[in-house]
Structure formats: C-alpha cells, structure tokens
Amino acid sequence: MHQKLRVGVLGCGPISQAAHFESCTKASNAELYAICDSADDLRQRMTAMWAPKVAYSDYQAMLDDENVDAIIIATTDAFHVQLAMKALHAGKHVLCEKPLGIAVEECEELAQAVKHSGRLFQVAHMKRFDGGIQAAHDFIQQEMGNLVAYKGWYGDNSHRYTVTDAVQPKIITSAAKRKPAVDPKSDLQRYYMLAHGSHLVDTARYLAGDINEVEARFTHRGGVHCWFVDIAFANGTLGHLDLSVGVRMDWHEGFQIYGENGSILGKTYNPWLFKSSDVDIFHENGAFWRRPLAADGHFYRRQIEAFAHAILTDSPQTGTSVEEGLAIVKTMAAIGESVRTGRSVCVASAQGAV
C-alpha cells in the first residue's frame, strides 16, 4: 500500500463540497485522487476547484482505475447499497455516507458482501471523531464502571440554514444530477429519521453499547417532528432518546450519562461549526470535573484519516463498521414499527424499510 490512501469520491453534491473534498486534501495520510459525477457541469466545476488527479463521468470507469484504493460514496441514501456493492466487487475499500441503507434487508446483504470481500468498510458517522465524544467514550471504557442510564437528544433547529449558509461554502448544484425514483423528502418523517436519527442512534451505541429493545412515540405538531424513544441496552443500561427536528431554538444536541464511578454531561454543536462537543466528565474518585479541549474539531478530516490509517497499517477500524451500520438501520426500523403499533419492539427482529 502507498504512503497515502488514494481516494475516489463518488458524487459531487453538498456533502462532498462541504466536507469530503476538503477532508481528502487536508488529510495527512490520504489524497483526493479521483472524483466522479454524471453531471458534466458539476464535475467540471469541482475538478477545477479541487484538482483531483483524474475525473470520471462513469462510476465503473473510476472503479476500474487500479490507482484508486478506496471509494467515498457521497450520494443520496437510496443509492448507497448498490453503489457500495459495486465498489466491493471491484476490490475497493469503502467509506459510505450514513445511513448505511434505507431498508434492513439490503443492509444485511451488504454486510455479507463486506464479510466476503476482505475490504475495509466504514459508515461515515463522523461524530465518532468528535474529540469530546471520544473522551466520553474513553472514560466509559476505562473508568466509569457499570453504566446506569443514558439520555441522548438531537434537536435540529429552525435556524440551522442561517448558520450553515454563513459557514459552509456556497453549494453548487446541477439540473443534471441523478435523482432516485422517489423524492426522499416526499416523506419527511422517514427522511428525518434516516438523516438525523441515524446520528442519534450511532452516538448512543458508541457510548452505551448495543440496543436490544425500543418503545417509541411520535408527534408532528407546530412544524416539529418529534420522537421520544425508551431503549433497553444489552448491558442493562436504561436509555431514552429524543429526536426533534425543527425545534424553535438553537441547535440542541447532547447526552447525559450516569455510571458507577462518575457522570458525563455532553453538549454537541451544529457540525458545520467544526467545534468539538463540550463534554464535562465527573470523576467520583477525587470528586472533580474535567473538560477536554479537543481543539481539532474537523471530524470529517479526522474520519478520513482514521479510515486511511486502518487500511494503510492493517489496524482495527475505529469508525462505524458495516455490522454497526446494519444495527443502526434495524434500530430505526424498530422505532418506526413501535410508533405504528404502540408496542415495544425487539431490534434483532426488525425488518423492512425505515
């Protein structure tokens, strides 16, 4: 393997423009080797801006390029699984945007393909590379002892675009972009669960472990989509998740964790501010608080670097694995089933689309 991982980015849309192109150029151990998009105007504009070694209009042509070591799949959710399958078949490592897929069955098929491929596959849950959240994870693993309770919340807010328009680059669009058969935003309840619920569930799993069972309620009032979810973790921890999209306030995301040897209070910011979470950790032994600075808040670049490090050094991955990505999709499907039936649902038995 080369000193730097040579990355091909599939899709020149908003997430690539705001995160992946810059991350690949800033990463210490990766390079933006190729980009691919079927929209000629958008691809040409991004080629001029980011200067990859090569640009492709055809995905298979990029996969056939032996110089491309890994693919970042940065397309709409409905295309994730089929495009990831093609990359694995071509022998490429894959970093796939979240969520892994939109239905349990397709994600199960992909997990099997990854298992047989021998390639590294990572789901792009970049919050795992937030230094504050990582400090919380380390304290839980090393010092906290038994967890007692986990409360997590994710409140996307009514003023988010005022913030993102100010801090993101101007997003370039194309009328020729490839669209799924069904507009993802035609069902906002499903769209918000996939886009935002996947982050909330992944953070909960990263910090408190596997989720066995969920019991959920949902309301849509005053322009706000709101899920309250009681969860049972496999390790016996009690949990509650609050996903509220369109809250009339600032971005509101965080977590509160109680454990045998301490507690943790976390406040997470709008990701486009590139500011690590404020995480206050209380150590019962010594009775003191500490808050890591976590000055490097570019979680997208740190995500790429961790992905590349695992491949280049044959080290265990630290990002979200395909198995974890499948578990997240199953959890979201279980939440949907619980909302429809009014009953608690076992995550392991969840099937169908989110």
Side-chain angles (χ1 to χ4, degrees):
M1 187 63 66
H2 300 272
Q3 186 176 5
K4 288 192 174 186
L5 189 74
R6 296 172 299 193
V7 178
V9 177
L10 175 62
C12 292
I15 189 63
S16 291
Q17 293 179 45
H20 294 309
F21 291 151
E22 179 181 82
S23 295
C24 288
T25 58
K26 285 186 174 181
S28 62
N29 56 357
E31 65 172 308
L32 182 62
Y33 184 85
I35 65 173
C36 179
D37 200 291
S38 59
D40 293 339
D41 56 343
L42 185 58
R43 183 184 66 258
Q44 291 166 6
R45 180 78 173 266
M46 293 302 110
T47 299
M49 291 178 63
W50 294 103
K53 295 289 191 302
V54 62
Y56 291 102
S57 61
D58 179 72
Y59 182 39
Q60 189 59 52
M62 182 166 73
L63 294 178
D64 290 339
D65 187 339
E66 63 181 14
N67 291 316
V68 175
D69 301 315
I71 300 293
I72 294 177
I73 297 175
T75 66
T76 191
D77 300 346
F79 299 148
H80 286 177
V81 169
Q82 59 178 292
L83 296 172
M85 288 283 201
K86 289 184 177 181
L88 292 171
H89 183 72
K92 309 300 185 184
H93 303 283
V94 178
L95 176 63
C96 180
E97 261 302 328
K98 58 81 196 168
L100 180 62
I102 60 176
V104 171
E105 292 77 10
E106 65 170 0
C107 294
E108 289 176 332
E109 183 180 358
L110 178 56
Q112 285 300 311
V114 173
K115 182 179 179 180
H116 296 298
S117 71
R119 302 292 90 181
L120 189 142
F121 190 103
Q122 183 170 311
V123 188
H125 282 288
M126 83 295 174
K127 292 179 188 290
R128 291 201 181 198
F129 302 96
D130 176 319
I133 295 175
Q134 288 179 327
H137 176 267
D138 291 345
F139 177 69
I140 291 167
Q141 295 297 313
Q142 299 167 14
E143 299 181 58
M144 184 172 247
N146 290 320
L147 269 67
V148 177
Y150 177 95
K151 292 185 282 187
W153 53 93
Y154 185 113
D156 192 350
N157 66 318
S158 54
H159 300 280
R160 68 163 303 179
Y161 291 109
T162 302
V163 172
T164 56
D165 287 349
V167 298
Q168 285 184 341
K170 180 176 176 58
I171 301 300
I172 309 301
T173 60
S174 171
K177 69 178 181 180
R178 185 183 174 196
K179 301 177 183 179
V182 178
D183 180 2
K185 294 186 179 181
S186 62
D187 182 347
L188 286 178
Q189 184 174 342
R190 185 186 192 202
Y191 175 76
Y192 289 150
M193 176 55 69
L194 287 166
H196 304 298
S198 57
H199 278 308
L200 181 63
V201 172
D202 182 68
T203 300
R205 296 187 80 263
Y206 177 57
L207 294 176
D210 293 342
I211 297 172
N212 280 355
E213 189 176 357
V214 301
E215 186 171 357
R217 291 179 293 166
F218 171 79
T219 188
H220 178 208
R221 302 181 70 186
V224 180
H225 292 71
C226 179
W227 292 258
F228 273 19
V229 186
D230 288 328
I231 55 178
F233 288 96
N235 58 18
T237 302
L238 296 179
H240 178 80
L241 301 181
D242 164 6
L243 173 63
S244 299
V245 182
V247 292
R248 273 45 177 173
M249 57 184 293
D250 196 1
W251 185 277
H252 183 58
E253 182 180 0
F255 47 87
Q256 191 168 335
I257 309 171
Y258 307 138
E260 182 180 9
N261 299 319
S263 295
I264 306 172
L265 304 177
K267 173 182 172 58
T268 298
Y269 294 89
N270 185 313
W272 302 110
L273 297 177
F274 291 101
K275 177 177 171 56
S276 297
S277 297
D278 291 335
V279 174
D280 294 306
I281 300 172
F282 183 78
H283 297 252
E284 179 67 14
N285 182 17
F288 67 94
W289 290 93
R290 68 180 176 93
R291 175 186 288 185
L293 177 60
D296 181 2
H298 204 309
F299 358 91
Y300 289 99
R301 191 207 78 247
R302 299 183 76 209
Q303 171 181 252
I304 293 289
E305 289 178 336
F307 175 66
H309 176 77
I311 294 167
L312 295 171
T313 65
D314 194 25
S315 302
Q317 69 182 117
T318 54
T320 304
S321 68
V322 68
E323 292 84 7
E324 291 175 302
L326 168 60
I328 292 164
V329 173
K330 288 175 75 74
T331 302
M332 293 189 292
I335 290 170
E337 182 181 345
S338 181
V339 167
R340 291 190 297 272
T341 64
R343 300 192 300 268
S344 62
V345 176
C346 175
V347 171
S349 64
Q351 294 293 313
V354 174

